[in-house]
Amino acid sequence: SPLADIETQSREKLYPTARALINLVKKFDDLYYEKKSRKNILEFPDIEQLALTLLTEHDEVSKELRDKYSEILMDEYQDTNALQEEIFSHISDGRNMFMVGDMKQSIYRFRSSDPIIFKRKNDLYKNEQDAENRKIILSQNFRSRDEVLQGVNDVFSAIMSEEAGELEYDDEQRLYLGNTTYENQDQSYTCE
């Protein structure tokens, strides 16, 4: 079709520029890493990459760490990136990871975090007590009054969906009152 021909021509025309840009970025990365190495400097992503290289190239290190840790506890799991997930897959026995997270809190995508990693597990894991991969929903909020929670739920129910936020704001995502002592407190305030 004529449209397919135009797309092919556009790709062919852009390829040399895209290839040159990729080569430039790779060269910059190599020179930057070399300069850091000479000064004995590492950044967090460098440490992550070195850890993964160590684990993938030395099975005995992975095995030693798997044997050493009976449990791996991960907080803010929604901010995990693919590299970190790969690292943990090498030191986990596949049944000893306890992950805590909330996709609604993953709005900044720190350090290339990918909340879809969390979402996939959330969708795969089951609520049942005897499930092999079990999820526990912590939906009770103990810090806020019911009026605040209702307001938050109303707003997020209206604006959050798979298309906007990668998550359907359903009964599993809603916040529920966990601290009823607020309801018994005197709500009148006086100014002196």
Side-chain angles (χ1 to χ4, degrees):
S1 80
L3 186 56
D5 291 341
I6 292 170
E7 288 176 1
T8 301
Q9 289 171 0
S10 294
R11 277 194 299 269
E12 289 172 357
K13 203 182 259 188
L14 289 174
Y15 180 80
T17 304
R19 190 79 232 142
L21 183 59
I22 289 168
N23 289 336
L24 180 66
V25 169
K26 284 181 178 179
K27 185 167 181 86
F28 173 82
D29 188 53
D30 291 344
L31 291 170
Y32 185 54
Y33 190 80
E34 182 184 313
K35 208 169 213 27
K36 287 189 296 186
S37 294
R38 272 191 262 132
K39 293 185 177 218
N40 213 14
I41 295 172
L42 290 174
E43 295 175 280
F44 189 76
D46 299 325
I47 295 168
E48 287 177 313
Q49 189 59 57
L50 289 170
L52 181 60
T53 301
L54 180 67
L55 294 169
T56 56
E57 292 180 4
H58 301 280
D59 290 335
E60 68 279 5
V61 175
S62 293
K63 183 182 177 342
E64 182 180 332
L65 291 172
R66 260 193 313 278
D67 293 344
K68 181 178 181 177
Y69 297 111
S70 58
E71 296 175 347
I72 299 170
L73 310 174
M74 296 175 64
D75 195 13
E76 304 296 345
Y77 188 68
Q78 75 277 356
D79 291 325
T80 300
N81 65 40
L83 186 61
Q84 294 162 344
E85 181 73 1
E86 182 73 14
I87 289 168
F88 282 106
S89 75
H90 285 279
I91 62 173
S92 168
D93 67 10
R95 300 186 44 82
N96 65 339
M97 286 182 59
F98 183 85
M99 301 155 282
V100 177
D102 182 354
M103 256 187 79
K104 296 181 300 295
Q105 294 183 28
S106 185
I107 58 175
Y108 300 113
R109 309 253 175 163
F110 291 112
R111 292 191 301 258
S112 304
S113 72
D114 182 1
I116 299 303
I117 294 169
F118 175 84
K119 184 176 185 330
R120 280 190 201 114
K121 287 193 178 165
N122 187 52
D123 292 346
L124 178 69
Y125 288 22
K126 305 292 180 226
N127 289 347
E128 290 83 34
Q129 184 81 20
D130 60 344
E132 183 178 345
N133 293 311
R134 183 170 175 223
K135 79 174 153 184
I136 302 167
I137 307 298
L138 302 174
S139 57
Q140 286 189 299
N141 182 298
F142 295 88
R143 298 179 184 170
S144 302
R145 298 179 66 93
D146 194 40
E147 298 85 355
V148 172
L149 299 177
Q150 286 179 27
V152 168
N153 286 331
D154 287 346
V155 169
F156 281 108
S157 293
I159 65 170
M160 197 165 214
S161 67
E162 286 281 342
E163 296 79 31
E166 301 168 327
L167 180 71
E168 196 66 42
Y169 199 80
D170 57 15
D171 288 342
E172 192 175 285
Q173 299 302 320
R174 292 178 71 79
L175 301 173
Y176 298 95
L177 184 66
N179 184 353
T180 57
T181 60
Y182 287 135
E183 307 308 308
N184 301 325
Q185 293 177 356
D186 181 12
Q187 295 179 30
S188 60
Y189 299 97
T190 58
C191 296
E192 295 180 22

